[in-house]
């Protein structure tokens, strides 16, 4: 998995820097090409001579070479690498990365990096546990970086606790796993609908629902991470997309979502319809804000929205997969299977509002995947991110 992979190893000023030598060696033994970038503090812990001898490349540590003024391009490194690994990553460097404080070539390389970034923190237990470090790590994670959690054990401070940089063998395994997964869906094209739809009543009111979009966005991210090209049609949600493999189309109403989905469907291998689409919209949109009237009850006439899933089910070609979601409150299996059949889906992902921690808004979900013959595969309650991985794994074999 690491054969011919180009890896930038960033080394910062921690006692765990000595382990970076083993890391370089292990990666090179697996066939990777390694370029070391080191901070000034890192050089206090391990010499560039050791690292350049191991990697057979000059170590990058300054913006310029003092004697001849040669410029080291962090931008080129950002384009060259298949992955960047910062190991060990000190609290200071983590803080700089999280806040864009580009005062050494390691941080500028990080900011220029086009490839995935893995960060292996190493520090004293209290520094690691400090809210400042934790917030910075969360921030880096939200940028799409992968945090390799430190292990618990004996620390250089003679204390025991969580903060030891993960062992080189384990880090190599994590990178191998990443590369094993990162390309298995390359060239596959996936369409995902996510979030709610808003159906306008007047300029200030709409009919909507509680869908957060979290499940659909987690799916988009999971497919993109595995190399697929994702088109994400998102209803109105407060969610961000950062992965370069995701092309996002923002829509508001069911009709807009329908139009985009029809346009995109012909070009994809699979469509996964996660969105909670409004079944009805107000028959007439009022240009002016509706006024309260003193005539007692008020009724709003509704008209049916197009069913995106059912339409795509009719357009579906033999080599395309169509996957729906069903959020049910009762007779879950029967209702879900009926939907699958009615809409000509290949699979339906069922979640029940009866399961605490499943469905709208939350960060967890509990699903079953039902196929056209009614065969059900049930999964445990998990984070939506892990549920997305399960769905990708499940569909992966069917896709190829
Ligand atoms: O709303 P319902 O339970 O029928 O949704 C089942 C599936 O159909 C979901 O995958 C949902 O995204 C999709 N759907 C749709 N267009 C609609 C209604 C539902 O694509 N108008």
């Amino acid at each position: 998995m690491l054969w011919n992979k180009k890896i930038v190893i960033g080394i910062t000023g921690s006692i765990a820097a000595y382990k970076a030598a083993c890391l370089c060696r292990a990666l090179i033994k697996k066939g990777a090409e390694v370029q070391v970038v080191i901070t000034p503090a890192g050089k206090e812990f391990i010499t560039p001579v050791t690292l350049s001898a191991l990697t057979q490349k000059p170590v990058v540590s300054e913006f310029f070479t003092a004697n001849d003024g040669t410029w080291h391009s962090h931008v080129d490194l950002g384009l060259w690498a298949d992955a960047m690994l910062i190991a060990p990553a000190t609290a200071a460097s983590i803080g700089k990365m999280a806040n864009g404080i580009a005062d050494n070539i390691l941080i500028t390389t990080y900011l220029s990096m086009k490839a995935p970034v893995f960060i292996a923190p190493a520090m004293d237990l209290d520094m690691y546990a400090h809210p400042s470090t934790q917030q910075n790590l969360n921030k880096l994670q939200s940028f799409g970086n992968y945090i390799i959690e430190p292990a618990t054990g004996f620390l250089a401070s003679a204390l025991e606790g969580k903060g030891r940089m993960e062992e080189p063998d384990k880090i190599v395994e994590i990178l191998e796993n990443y590369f094993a997964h990162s390309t298995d869906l390359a060239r596959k094209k996936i369409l995902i609908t996510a979030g709610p739809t808003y159906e306008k009543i007047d300029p200030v009111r709409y009919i909507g629902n509680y869908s957060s979009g979290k499940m659909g966005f987690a799916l988009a991210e999971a497919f993109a991470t595995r190399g697929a090209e994702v088109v994400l049609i998102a209803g109105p949600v407060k969610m961000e997309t950062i992965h370069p493999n995701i092309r996002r189309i923002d829509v508001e109403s069911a009709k807009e979502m329908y139009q985009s989905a029809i346009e995109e469907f012909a070009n994809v291998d699979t469509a996964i319809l996660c969105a909670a689409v409004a079944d009805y919209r107000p028959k007439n949109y009022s240009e002016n804000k509706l006024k309260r009237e003193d005539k007692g009850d008020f009724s709003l006439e509704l008209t049916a929205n197009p069913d995106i899933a059912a339409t795509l089910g009719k357009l579906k070609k033999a080599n395309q997969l169509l996957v729906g979601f069903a959020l049910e409150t009762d007779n879950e299996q029967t209702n879900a299977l009926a939907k699958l059949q009615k809409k000509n889906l290949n699979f339906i992902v069922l979640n029940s509002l009866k399961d605490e921690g499943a469905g709208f808004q939350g960060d967890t979900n509990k699903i079953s995947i039902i196929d056209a013959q009614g065969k059900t595969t049930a999964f445990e309650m998990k984070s939506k991110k892990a549920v997305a991985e399960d769905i990708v794994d499940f569909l992966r074999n069917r896709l190829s």
Side-chain angles (χ1 to χ4, degrees), residues 5 31 69 83-84 88-89 91 107 146 157 160 171 183-184 188 194 232 246 291 308 321 323 356 374 386:
K5 290 285 183 277
M84 180 174 191
I107 309 293
Y146 299 91
S157 58
E160 289 236 1
I171 296 180
T183 49
D184 64 345
K188 293 286 175 209
L232 174 64
I246 304 175
K291 305 280 180 307
I308 304 168
L321 285 184
V323 182
E356 209 174 305

Side-chain angles (χ1 to χ4, degrees), residues 11 15 56 82 165 185 223 242 248 256 270 345 352 379 400:
I11 302 174
I15 180 63
Q56 301 192 337
D82 294 309
M165 185 179 97
L185 291 173
F223 272 107
I242 30 179
R248 175 170 171 174
E256 286 168 12
T270 297
L345 308 173
S352 168
F379 297 84
S400 46

Side-chain angles (χ1 to χ4, degrees), residues 193 254 273-279 305-310 323-328 339 343 345 348:
T193 66
L273 307 173
C274 240
V277 186
D279 290 323
N305 269 329
D307 189 322
I308 304 168
V323 182
F325 268 68
L327 177 65
E328 302 293 333
K339 266 179 203 172
K343 301 183 190 215
L345 308 173
I348 194 150

Side-chain angles (χ1 to χ4, degrees), residues 280-328:
Y280 298 94
R281 66 177 181 277
K283 190 162 188 177
N284 299 306
Y285 169 72
S286 166
E287 295 287 346
N288 299 314
K289 186 179 166 195
L290 293 172
K291 305 280 180 307
R292 184 190 172 94
E293 292 178 25
D294 293 325
K295 289 192 216 143
D297 294 344
F298 172 84
S299 49
L300 190 64
E301 204 179 343
L302 300 178
T303 185
N305 269 329
D307 189 322
I308 304 168
T311 311
L312 299 189
K314 286 193 187 116
L315 296 173
K316 187 174 71 173
K317 298 196 196 82
N319 60 352
Q320 288 181 304
L321 285 184
L322 190 57
V323 182
F325 268 68
L327 177 65
E328 302 293 333

Side-chain angles (χ1 to χ4, degrees), residues 90-152:
T90 58
S93 289
I94 287 169
K96 288 182 192 177
M97 288 191 282
N99 295 290
I101 303 169
D103 66 353
N104 64 50
I105 194 155
L106 190 150
I107 309 293
T108 52
T109 305
Y110 165 74
L111 292 177
S112 310
M113 192 49 59
K114 292 281 187 200
V117 179
F118 296 78
I119 298 162
M123 65 198 78
D124 195 49
L125 74 165
D126 293 315
M127 288 176 83
Y128 181 71
H130 196 282
S132 152
T133 310
Q134 290 303 314
Q135 267 181 23
N136 286 331
L137 286 170
N138 286 339
K139 208 163 157 186
L140 292 174
Q141 213 163 15
S142 79
F143 300 158
N145 300 161
Y146 299 91
I147 310 298
I148 302 175
E149 286 219 10
T152 301

Side-chain angles (χ1 to χ4, degrees), residues 23-45:
L23 202 47
C24 289
R25 204 172 148 65
L27 291 170
I28 286 166
K29 264 173 100 175
K30 299 258 179 188
E33 202 180 328
V34 175
Q35 172 65 61
V36 173
V37 181
I38 193 164
T39 62
K43 285 196 281 188
E44 303 289 333
F45 290 89

